[in-house]
């Protein structure tokens, strides 16, 4: 949601800013704009629609040369996505330009105050009040940093603000509260971005900012302070991926590239998790053995795909640790007064580490003295920073809006957490833990085998281009896979799609079955697993009513073939690990169907990659 770029240095700022915005396009947006400082004046351009519209306008009417600039891609909250509401916004006299991510909750009262003092607003946004307030401060004699500190003290809500002042040409000042912002540290130049993708082609040295901090960028330095004006420090870190990870590498979509990265991503998520004796070690979990032993309840929170990863985790964690485990959508958890104690462990799953709903949930949990462990993919992001412990998923940047390798590596992190808790608490024997860990270590190869069958899924998508509604069925750990398969289809192909627990069919959803309706069915592994036979019965029931069954089953499972219109084979694994494989055909199918329908797979309509507002 909203992309932010800032630059000060020797290069032409326009090129750096536009390139940065391009790399942030994946976050989701509906207008774009830029402001440069030139000859002690501000020059701006901003356009509704895609970045290409802004670039076209800049090509037709170039802005003058400048080495200081800010740029923005806006995901509309207050005011329609028009040229007028696009950022940057200027103060009354056009001296200060501001871009913003988040929501200024008290903007109405600030706007009324400004209007009664004679300020005329030129947009419907909450952002514009910040531009007027900042400009008022600098016109009253404050430097831009001091002005930012003073204005931020007056704002409530979530915001990243970035500003330039025409009278201070080589300076960009920014502030963050509950909204992402990272500094890129260059040599004689410095950068700002909503995330490191904005400047990864210029530097891999970054500075993490804390909550309620202001940062001032010049060519030669970066100074951090609090909103109260006291000196503060950011936390430097090295970005462990490079430009190639932020490019499509020959694929048509980032999503497709990320699907095919999963064998590596899963391997990286597992890397270095066993010590010389083969025992699990999770160094990143900064909680003592005593703390881990005292846990008597686990609550997993997340949104969208991360929530579904949590649903899978519940089956595994409860089975292995015998600790009661609940899973809840972050936004529901936060506002229902959940029962939390010092011995509750809240596990927050978030690929981006910036999802506002999940951030608010963990803050609430910590206020109630519960411990919070984050499962996150993004180094330097807010959720792990505000958690007591973290397991990083090491998937590399996920740029496609639809989460793929984010999901599978979240599953790995959850499996590792469950097994580690079992090891610490003695709820499983060492050889049992070793057996599952060894099976996990075989998953990258199994993932690759499923992906090798991609052409079959592409052909299936071709045959299903006319589908108007698609159902997904699963049982046990396959149930969240059904939900995830449906979510992928909704967000990418804009189709009605629903996932159900197969056991629930007879309680209502079976009424939806009509001749020809496509239903994906995730069949649990065979063997001693009674779930398998119940799932096969469910498939027979819908087939008898005319459903077109697309069955995902183990490669040597012949019991179900007679009821399958389409058969998709999965390598043999244990029930709890099967979601890692069963989700892959559903990702490939959704990506391909959306492609064939002509949709923008990486930036589906109305969606943002990082949902940074509640
Ligand atoms: O960054 P997060 O994992 O916290 O994001 C959570 C959801 O917004 C995300 O999984 C979303 O549902 C994806 N678009 C699903 O593909």
């Amino acid at each position: 949601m909203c992309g932010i770029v800032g630059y000060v240095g020797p290069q032409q700022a326009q090129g750096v800013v536009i390139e940065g915005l391009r790399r942030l396009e994946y976050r989701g947006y509906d207008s774009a704009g830029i402001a440069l400082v030139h000859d002690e004046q501000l020059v701006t351009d901003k356009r509704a629609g895609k970045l290409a519209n802004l670039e076209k306008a800049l090509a037709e009417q170039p802005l003058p040369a400048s080495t200081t600039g800010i740029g923005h891609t806006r995901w509309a909250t207050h005011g329609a996505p028009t040229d007028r509401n696009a950022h940057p916004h200027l103060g009354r006299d056009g001296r200060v330009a501001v871009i913003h991510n988040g929501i200024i909750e008290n903007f109405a009262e600030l706007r009324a105050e400004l209007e009664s003092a004679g300020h005329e607003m030129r947009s419907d946004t909450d952002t514009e009040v910040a531009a007027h307030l900042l400009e008022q401060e600098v016109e009253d004699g404050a430097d831009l940093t001091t002005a930012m500190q003073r204005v931020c003290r007056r704002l409530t809500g979530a915001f990243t603000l970035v500003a330039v002042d025409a009278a201070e040409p080589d300076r960009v000042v920014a502030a963050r509260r509950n909204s992402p912002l990272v500094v890129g540290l260059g040599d004689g130049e410095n950068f700002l971005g909503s995330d490191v993708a904005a400047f990864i082609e210029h530097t891999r040295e970054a500075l993490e900012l804390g909550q309620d901090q202001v940062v001032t960028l010049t060519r030669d330095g970066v100074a951090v302070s609090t909103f109260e004006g006291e000196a503060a420090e950011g936390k430097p870190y090295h970005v462990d991926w490079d430009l190639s990870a932020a490019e499509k590498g020959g694929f048509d979509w980032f999503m497709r590239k990320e699907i095919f990265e999963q064998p590596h991503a899963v391997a990286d998520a597992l890397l270095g998790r066993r010590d010389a004796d083969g025992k699990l070690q999770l160094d990143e979990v900064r909680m003592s053995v005593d703390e881990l032993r005292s846990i008597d309840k686990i609550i997993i929170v997340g949104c969208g795909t991360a929530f579904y990863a949590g649903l899978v985790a519940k089956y595994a964690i409860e089975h292995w640790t015998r600790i009661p485990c609940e899973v809840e959508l972050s936004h529901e958890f936060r506002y229902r007064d959940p029962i939390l104690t010092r011995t509750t462990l809240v596990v927050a799953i978030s690929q981006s580490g910036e999802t506002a709903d999940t951030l608010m949930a963990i803050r609430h949990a910590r206020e109630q003295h519960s411990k919070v462990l984050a499962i996150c993919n993004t180094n330097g992001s807010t959720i792990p920073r505000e958690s007591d412990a973290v397991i990083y998923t090491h998937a590399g940047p996920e740029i496609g809006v639809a989460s793929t390798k984010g999901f599978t590596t979240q599953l790995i992190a959850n499996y590792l957490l469950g097994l580690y808790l079992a090891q610490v608490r003695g709820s499983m024997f060492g050889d049992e833990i070793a057996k599952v860990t060894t099976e996990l270590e075989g998953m990258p190869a199994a993932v690759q085998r499923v992906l090798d069958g991609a052409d079959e899924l592409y052909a299936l998508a071709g045959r299903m281009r006319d589908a108007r509604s698609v159902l997904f069925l699963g049982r046990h750990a396959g149930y969240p896979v059904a939900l995830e398969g449906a979510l992928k289809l909704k967000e990418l192909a804009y189709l009605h799609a629903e996932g159900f627990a197969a056991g629930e069919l007879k309680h209502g959803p079976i009424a939806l079955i009509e001749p020809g309706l496509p239903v994906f069915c995730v069949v649990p592994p065979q063997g001693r697993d009674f779930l398998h036979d119940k799932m096969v019965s469910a498939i027979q029931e819908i087939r008898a009513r005319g459903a077109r069954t697309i069955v995902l089953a183990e490669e040597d499972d012949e019991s179900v073939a007679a009821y399958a219109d389409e058969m998709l084979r999965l390598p043999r694994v244990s029930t709890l690990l099967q979601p890692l494989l069963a989700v892959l055909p559903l990702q490939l199918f959704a990506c391909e169907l959306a492609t064939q329908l002509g949709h923008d797979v990486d930036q589906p309509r109305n969606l943002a990659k990082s949902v940074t507002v509640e």
Side-chain angles (χ1 to χ4, degrees), residues 30 132 168 178 263 280 400 417 425 432 497 569:
D30 34 46
H132 284 247
E168 295 184 75
N178 293 340
L280 276 176
L417 173 64
R425 300 161 66 94
E432 291 174 312
R569 294 299 188 175

Side-chain angles (χ1 to χ4, degrees), residues 255 301-308 330 349-359 375-378 383 398 400-404 406-407 410 484 487-488 491-492 604 607-611:
M255 180 188 180
V301 295
C303 300
T305 291
F307 171 67
Y308 297 148
S330 310
I349 307 178
S350 175
Q351 188 284 131
S352 63
E354 300 292 352
T355 298
D357 291 314
T358 305
L359 179 60
I375 289 181
C376 183
N377 190 38
T378 313
I383 290 172
E398 189 180 68
V401 161
S403 188
T404 52
F407 178 74
Q410 284 162 359
E484 172 64 1
L487 176 63
K488 287 283 137 329
E491 64 182 338
L492 298 174
L607 290 178
K609 180 68 179 164
S610 273
V611 184

Side-chain angles (χ1 to χ4, degrees), residues 298-463:
I298 296 175
I299 304 180
I300 302 177
V301 295
C303 300
T305 291
F307 171 67
Y308 297 148
L311 288 179
V312 175
K314 174 185 165 73
Y315 291 93
I317 292 177
E318 278 192 343
H319 183 67
W320 292 333
T321 67
R322 310 312 295 156
I323 307 172
C325 181
E326 298 169 13
V327 191
E328 198 159 353
L329 291 162
S330 310
H331 34 90
E332 289 298 315
F333 166 86
R334 169 61 189 90
Y335 295 105
R336 76 163 171 90
D337 191 18
I339 299 168
L340 294 161
T341 69
R342 288 175 193 276
T343 50
T344 307
L345 177 68
V346 173
V347 177
I349 307 178
S350 175
Q351 188 284 131
S352 63
E354 300 292 352
T355 298
D357 291 314
T358 305
L359 179 60
M360 295 308 152
I362 68 165
R363 286 191 181 154
H364 180 67
R366 295 194 78 206
E367 277 161 23
Q368 310 299 310
H369 308 290
S370 293
K371 291 279 181 206
V372 173
L373 183 148
I375 289 181
C376 183
N377 190 38
T378 313
N379 205 326
S381 59
T382 310
I383 290 172
R385 197 172 49 239
E386 295 201 14
S387 297
D388 299 286
V390 59
I391 300 176
Y392 282 110
T393 50
H394 302 295
E398 189 180 68
I399 291 174
V401 161
S403 188
T404 52
K405 62 179 181 171
F407 178 74
T408 45
T409 55
Q410 284 162 359
L411 292 184
I412 295 288
N414 276 292
Y415 291 139
L416 290 169
L417 173 64
L419 293 170
Y420 184 65
L421 285 171
Q423 176 178 288
V424 169
R425 300 161 66 94
S427 56
M428 282 168 88
F429 292 115
D431 58 342
E432 291 174 312
I433 296 173
K435 188 169 169 231
V436 184
T437 312
T438 303
E439 192 183 4
L440 275 176
E441 286 164 353
M443 292 311 275
V447 168
Q448 186 61 59
R449 280 178 58 204
V450 180
L451 297 179
D452 288 345
D455 286 345
E456 212 184 326
L457 272 309
Y458 298 164
L460 177 65
R463 295 194 291 278

Side-chain angles (χ1 to χ4, degrees), residues 13-43:
Q14 180 175 316
V16 177
V17 168
I18 295 291
E19 194 49 42
L21 291 180
R22 194 189 325 284
R23 296 202 184 285
L24 297 181
E25 275 192 294
Y26 77 95
R27 297 175 70 87
Y29 71 102
D30 34 46
S31 60
I34 184 170
L36 305 174
V37 184
H38 168 77
D39 204 12
E40 303 215 355
Q41 286 198 336
L42 293 182
V43 285

